[in-house]
């Protein structure tokens, strides 16, 4: 595709519910990243995929957060038993994964947990 | 662990003037990459400029240039002839070697260009 696509753009859910956030990277990009951005702060790393496997998931805050990328393209970030503190903008980015390839970001999903 | 610091939470500049945003980082690595990203109100992060640490020459991209001081671990962004469309959050980012590491972002500087 032309760019990184994230859906939905906004999601409001009740505390305790389960949510899925989708990211469709640029075609051919092997590397995919999830970041979380709270209001007025910089992006905070969550997880990085190289192909289908999670190369680094050290940023996931706890076991309620999980992400998959089964075919090495689209990725889904899954949050179980959501808490109000999970409210943030979730950014997805992709890159070609070689050298100093810059990140190409989507517009993010704003998650609000009420 | 690498850290990135941006000591200016907010800055403003008059249209057509020049402004410099500061960034410092902490690392024990010798080869790495540095980036400046812009995030306008639309929320999408846009690459402004990047620098390879092994290159002594400062990167430039049209009105944007950097002052990379490796020994001081400083990577400032200079915007010349500021335009209203430059109003945004600016994030400094660090990419350590080897390939495939995660980017570390600073807390950002909110830049307002005033007419």
């Amino acid at each position: 595709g032309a760019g990184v696509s994230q859906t939905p753009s906004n999601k409001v859910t009740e505390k305790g519910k389960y949510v899925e956030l989708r990211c469709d990277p640029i075609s051919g990009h092997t590397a995919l990243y999830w970041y979380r951005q709270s209001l007025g702060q910089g992006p905070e790393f969550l997880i990085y995929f190289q192909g289908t496997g999670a190369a680094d998931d050290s940023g996931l805050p706890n076991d309620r957060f999980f992400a998959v990328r089964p075919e090495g393209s689209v990725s889904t970030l899954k949050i179980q038993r959501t808490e109000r503190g999970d409210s943030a903008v979730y950014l997805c980015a992709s890159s070609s994964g070689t050298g100093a390839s810059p990140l190409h970001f989507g517009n993010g999903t704003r998650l609000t947990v009420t | 662990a690498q850290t990135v610091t941006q000591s200016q939470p907010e800055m403003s500049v008059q249209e057509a003037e020049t402004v410099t945003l500061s960034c410092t980082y902490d690392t024990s690595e010798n080869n790495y990459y540095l980036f400046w990203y812009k995030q306008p109100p639309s929320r999408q992060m846009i690459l402004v400029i990047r620098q390879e640490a092994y290159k002594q020459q400062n990167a430039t991209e049209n009105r944007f240039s950097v002052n990379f001081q490796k020994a001081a671990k400083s990577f400032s962004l200079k915007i010349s002839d500021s335009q209203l469309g430059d109003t945004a959050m600016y994030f400094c980012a660090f990419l350590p070697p080897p390939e495939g590491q995660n980017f570390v972002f600073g807390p950002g500087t909110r830049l307002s260009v005033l007419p």
Side-chain angles (χ1 to χ4, degrees):
Chain A
V4 178
S5 175
Q6 290 189 248
T7 55
S9 57
N10 289 282
K11 175 71 176 178
V12 180
T13 190
E14 293 180 349
K15 178 176 178 295
K17 299 291 187 182
Y18 167 82
V19 296
E20 290 189 352
L21 312 180
R22 176 189 168 105
C23 174
D24 199 340
I26 291 173
S27 178
H29 277 188
T30 59
L32 186 146
Y33 300 75
W34 283 100
Y35 284 83
R36 178 168 69 176
Q37 187 177 25
S38 299
L39 190 64
Q41 297 184 21
E44 172 193 14
F45 171 74
L46 295 177
I47 186 170
Y48 154 63
F49 288 89
Q50 183 64 256
T52 60
D56 183 353
D57 64 358
S58 61
L60 294 177
N62 51 60
D63 61 5
R64 296 187 297 105
F65 288 74
F66 189 71
V68 296
R69 196 186 184 198
E71 297 179 358
S73 179
V74 171
S75 176
T76 304
L77 178 65
K78 308 180 181 191
I79 310 174
Q80 298 177 321
R81 304 182 305 279
T82 51
E83 300 177 356
R84 293 194 179 89
D86 299 335
S87 296
V89 174
Y90 289 82
L91 297 170
C92 176
S94 69
S95 80
S96 64
T98 58
S101 306
L103 297 179
H104 298 264
F105 283 85
N107 285 341
T109 294
R110 181 179 299 280
L111 175 66
T112 303
V113 182
T114 62
Chain B
Q2 291 86 5
T3 58
V4 177
T5 301
Q6 294 177 250
S7 59
Q8 305 150 314
E10 294 188 27
M11 293 192 73
S12 62
V13 62
Q14 291 294 135
E15 196 174 6
E17 296 295 309
T18 296
V19 64
T20 299
L21 309 183
S22 66
C23 171
T24 58
Y25 56 93
D26 185 22
T27 184
S28 58
E29 302 287 348
N30 188 47
N31 293 320
Y32 46 86
Y33 306 94
L34 295 161
F35 302 80
W36 278 97
Y37 278 88
K38 167 186 177 181
Q39 188 178 40
S42 66
R43 219 162 62 193
Q44 184 173 26
M45 299 274 278
I46 303 165
L47 176 68
V48 174
I49 199 166
R50 68 178 173 185
Q51 173 82 40
E52 290 88 348
Y54 61 86
K55 289 186 177 179
Q56 292 186 344
Q57 185 173 7
N58 288 323
T60 63
E61 194 71 41
N62 300 316
R63 297 184 295 108
F64 300 89
S65 61
V66 299
N67 182 6
F68 173 49
Q69 301 290 328
K70 190 173 183 179
K73 297 180 182 176
S74 171
F75 183 60
S76 59
L77 174 69
K78 185 171 82 170
I79 306 174
S80 303
D81 186 24
S82 297
Q83 300 176 0
L84 296 178
D86 295 334
T87 293
M89 284 289 291
Y90 286 81
F91 294 98
C92 179
F94 175 94
L95 176 64
E99 295 178 10
Q101 299 295 313
N102 82 76
F103 287 64
V104 180
F105 286 84
T109 295
R110 182 178 302 280
L111 177 67
S112 298
V113 180
L114 308 174

